[in-house]
C-alpha cells in the first residue's frame, strides 16, 4: 500500500507538471528576422481563458524593423532570443492592470518594458490590449537600439 501511495503520488505530480507545461508553451514570432524569437505568454485577463490572451498577444507583438533595431537584434539573434510577455488584469470592471515585456538572450536578461494597461484595455476583452502590447514591444526595440547607439553592452 505504501508503494502505491509513494509512486502513485510521484506519477500524479509528473502528469500535473506535464499539463502545466502544455499551458506554458512557447510560440515562434518574428520569423522574418534572423531565426525569430521564442515567445512565452503569462498572466491572466479578467477571467478570460489563457488561449484568448495568448492569441491577442500573438497578433500584436511588434518586431524589430528599423536599421538600428535590426542591428541591435542581430547582436542577440543566435541562438533565438526569448521574449516573455506577462499581462495581469484582475477580474472586475475598472480594475487597473499591467503589462510586462522582457527579452532574454542566452539565458540572460537583456531589456524590459513595463506599463499600466490603458483605460480602454481595462474595460474590454483581451483583444483590446493589442495597442498596449504593440507600444510596449516597439519601445523595447527602440530602447535596445538606443543602447547600441550609445555604445553600451547589449547584455547588462
Amino acid at each position: 500500500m505504501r508503494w502505491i501511495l509513494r509512486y502513485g503520488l510521484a506519477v500524479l505530480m509528473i502528469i500535473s507538471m506535464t499539463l502545466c507545461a502544455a499551458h506554458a508553451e512557447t510560440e515562434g514570432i518574428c520569423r522574418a528576422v534572423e531565426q525569430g524569437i521564442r515567445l512565452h505568454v503569462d498572466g491572466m485577463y479578467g477571467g478570460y481563458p489563457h488561449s484568448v490572451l495568448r492569441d491577442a498577444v500573438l497578433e500584436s507583438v511588434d518586431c524589430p524593423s528599423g536599421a538600428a533595431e535590426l542591428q541591435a537584434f542581430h547582436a542577440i539573434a543566435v541562438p533565438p532570443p526569448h521574449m516573455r510577455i506577462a499581462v495581469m488584469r484582475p477580474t472586475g470592471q475598472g480594475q487597473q492592470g499591467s503589462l510586462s515585456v522582457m527579452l532574454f538572450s542566452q539565458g540572460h536578461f537583456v531589456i524590459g518594458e513595463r506599463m499600466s494597461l490603458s483605460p480602454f484595455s481595462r474595460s474590454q476583452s483581451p483583444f483590446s490590449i493589442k495597442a498596449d502590447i504593440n507600444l510596449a514591444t516597439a519601445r523595447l526595440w527602440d530602447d535596445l537600439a538606443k543602447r547600441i547607439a550609445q555604445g553600451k553592452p547589449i547584455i547588462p
Side-chain angles (χ1 to χ4, degrees), residues 1 4 37-38 64 67 107 109 134:
M1 183 67 162
I4 292 173
I37 301 170
R38 294 182 337 253
F109 175 77
N134 190 274

Side-chain angles (χ1 to χ4, degrees), residues 4-24:
I4 292 173
L5 282 174
R6 183 180 299 155
Y7 293 104
L9 183 59
V11 169
L12 185 61
M13 287 176 49
I14 290 171
I15 291 171
S16 67
M17 288 187 328
T18 304
L19 293 175
C20 289
H23 177 71

Side-chain angles (χ1 to χ4, degrees), residues 45 52-62 85 87 99 115 117-118 120-121 124-138:
Y45 192 91
V52 175
L53 175 62
R54 187 188 79 238
D55 290 345
V57 171
L58 284 171
E59 293 178 15
S60 54
V61 173
D62 185 52
I85 297 180
V87 178
L99 167 66
M115 60 186 266
L117 295 177
S118 65
F120 178 71
S121 296
Q124 304 295 320
S125 76
F127 287 94
S128 64
I129 62 170
K130 285 179 163 186
D132 291 345
I133 292 170
N134 190 274
L135 177 63
T137 52

